[in-house]
Amino acid sequence: MVSPLAPVDFPDLPAIKGVRLSTTAAGVRYSGRTDVMLAVLDPGSVVAGTFTRSATRSASVLDAQAKIAGDGTEGAAILVNSGNANAFTGAAGVASVNAISAAVSQKLGLPATRVFTSSTGVIGEPLPHDRIITVLDELTVGLSSAALHDAARAIMTTDTFPKGSSATFEIAGESVTISGIAKGSGMVAPDMATMLVYIFTDAKITRPALQSILSQQTDRSFNCITVDSDTSTSDMVLLGATGQADMPVIEDATSDSARAFSDALGKVMLDLAHQVVRDGEGATKFVEVSVSGAKSDADARKVAMAIANSPLVKTAIAGEDPNWGRIVMAVGKSGAEADRDRLSIRFGPHLVAFQGQVAPSYAEQVGAEYMRQQELVIGVDLRLGIGAATVWTCDLTHRYIDINTDYRS
């Protein structure tokens, strides 16, 4: 069943010069299901990445982290499988990553240090990497610049729809394009979430500048979403730039050209992040939590995440119950500085609580009517300073339980 919050259609993602992709069914976990994606970047490409900070990171994440800072002009490859996370698999997991990297390296004529692998799915089961290696010939033959939609489907696990976004803009009068795909539905929280994200651009940019911009935009997008407060072992965002746009190279991450690129990239990443929340397991509501007036941005973030991650808040939203007392509770437990008699709470445009009590103008039926909407905004003003933060979440329904109790069956 497709999430009721899903976009109407998958977007028409422009092909990126210097990027080719292909997909196939390798039977990693399920038969007859497309579950492997290969992306190949032309020589001259640079790659940046951000990764989960979980203490139990998968072999693929650790391998990609070790490789990401390397320079290379030979091009790069990204191979992704769904159905098996290759996490908590010990030496066997490392051997699987090395075997896949070596096979892709030989097949494409790339150094193994330029091959990045990702795995998503069930934790703790050995990855049948031979099944992936067996289909490399098929993947190589099928490489095409027009396969982003297929790639978005191949990386799905409990996702109910494929996720994609793009932007086309100008730098120094020349056209530049960004296209990205993502997967993620449950086990989603900051420090990367249970996500795999692959973004490609034809921008001409140095690897240090690309990494700086990606890290900044990750903190503003993927690290500002939560479905269930759980951080995965396998998450990564990889951004490849082929340098084939006819534009001056971006070397300084603070230049005007870099800011134009960063703004466009940020829009793509935030769109993908929002789509992950909209596909939250069992979600029926998309919720923005906006906190202002905190002592610091860090305090505002603590409050916003406390609200967004509260099972009591999320179940009230699922039940369309305007129970603002649960928001008061979440503010109080957040660890941020707060004054009960100063803060205010809003549901969208409606002032609900003010200076330690229910607002005189508020009526319960107004809140109940607002809660029936699919897209909601919860606003909190602590009235203590200028710190602010915005995060995005979804409600918590019984469907979340159904999905996760059946996940391995």
Side-chain angles (χ1 to χ4, degrees), residues 13 49 54 168 229 253 271 285 339 350 354 396:
L13 300 184
S54 168
T168 300
S229 82
D271 184 15
K285 309 281 188 181
D339 184 336
H350 309 295
F354 183 67
L396 180 60

Side-chain angles (χ1 to χ4, degrees), residues 38 40 67 74 76-79 97-117 133 136 140:
L38 175 66
V40 179
K67 293 174 176 177
E74 305 91 344
I78 302 168
L79 187 138
V97 169
N98 290 340
I100 294 170
S101 294
V104 173
S105 168
Q106 182 178 18
K107 183 64 61 178
L108 298 177
L110 288 171
T113 54
R114 298 292 288 170
V115 178
F116 301 89
T117 68
I133 293 171
L136 283 180
T140 304

Side-chain angles (χ1 to χ4, degrees), residues 1-8 160-161 185 275 277-286 320 373-375 394-395 397 399 403:
M1 182 175 68
V2 177
S3 168
L5 304 172
V8 175
T160 70
F161 63 88
S185 186
Q275 289 184 54
V277 174
R278 290 178 182 278
D279 204 15
E281 291 171 342
T284 66
K285 309 281 188 181
F286 177 80
E320 299 181 342
Q373 299 184 57
Q374 276 194 333
E375 302 198 8
C394 59
D395 56 344
T397 70
R399 179 66 181 147
I403 291 168

Side-chain angles (χ1 to χ4, degrees), residues 59-130:
S60 291
V61 172
L62 292 170
D63 182 67
Q65 283 182 293
K67 293 174 176 177
I68 199 67
D71 292 321
T73 59
E74 305 91 344
I78 302 168
L79 187 138
V80 187
N81 76 267
S82 61
N84 183 306
N86 193 24
F88 212 72
T89 47
V94 175
S96 291
V97 169
N98 290 340
I100 294 170
S101 294
V104 173
S105 168
Q106 182 178 18
K107 183 64 61 178
L108 298 177
L110 288 171
T113 54
R114 298 292 288 170
V115 178
F116 301 89
T117 68
S118 304
S119 297
T120 181
V122 175
I123 294 171
E125 296 183 2
L127 178 67
H129 60 264
D130 288 345

Side-chain angles (χ1 to χ4, degrees), residues 190-332:
D191 287 341
M192 283 311 304
T194 183
M195 296 178 311
L196 298 179
V197 181
Y198 307 98
I199 306 171
F200 307 101
T201 179
D202 55 5
K204 196 171 294 180
I205 184 170
T206 64
R207 208 208 76 82
L210 191 69
Q211 183 64 60
S212 175
I213 292 169
L214 177 64
S215 296
Q216 291 172 9
Q217 292 298 346
T218 296
D219 282 340
R220 297 169 184 171
S221 56
F222 298 117
N223 281 346
C224 289
I225 62 172
T226 178
V227 167
D228 50 19
S229 82
D230 287 331
T231 298
S232 177
T233 60
S234 309
D235 315 323
M236 66 175 74
V237 177
L238 293 180
L239 170 57
T242 65
Q244 296 195 22
D246 187 14
M247 56 169 280
V249 64
I250 298 173
E251 298 180 287
D252 179 0
T254 65
S255 67
D256 290 343
S257 294
R259 281 193 290 271
F261 175 75
S262 181
D263 288 347
L265 177 65
K267 291 175 182 176
V268 169
M269 292 173 67
L270 190 58
D271 184 15
L272 291 172
H274 284 183
Q275 289 184 54
V276 170
V277 174
R278 290 178 182 278
D279 204 15
E281 291 171 342
T284 66
K285 309 281 188 181
F286 177 80
V287 186
E288 177 180 301
V289 181
S290 181
V291 176
S292 60
K295 277 284 190 179
S296 65
D297 289 347
D299 263 11
R301 182 178 174 84
K302 286 180 183 178
V303 171
M305 294 308 304
I307 295 168
N309 280 327
S310 167
L312 287 176
V313 172
K314 291 161 72 71
T315 50
I317 292 169
E320 299 181 342
D321 177 10
N323 190 341
W324 55 272
R326 293 183 175 181
I327 296 168
V328 174
M329 172 278 300
V331 173

Side-chain angles (χ1 to χ4, degrees), residues 7-65:
V8 175
D9 295 302
F10 189 84
D12 183 15
L13 300 184
I16 303 298
K17 289 180 287 187
V19 178
R20 293 168 295 144
L21 305 99
S22 62
T23 65
T24 193
V28 172
R29 183 174 181 82
Y30 307 104
S31 61
R33 174 174 168 176
T34 303
D35 58 0
V36 179
M37 178 272 280
L38 175 66
V40 179
L41 285 71
D42 282 356
S45 301
V46 296
V47 182
T50 55
F51 305 90
T52 179
R53 288 176 282 218
S54 168
T56 53
R57 295 188 293 283
S58 72
S60 291
V61 172
L62 292 170
D63 182 67
Q65 283 182 293

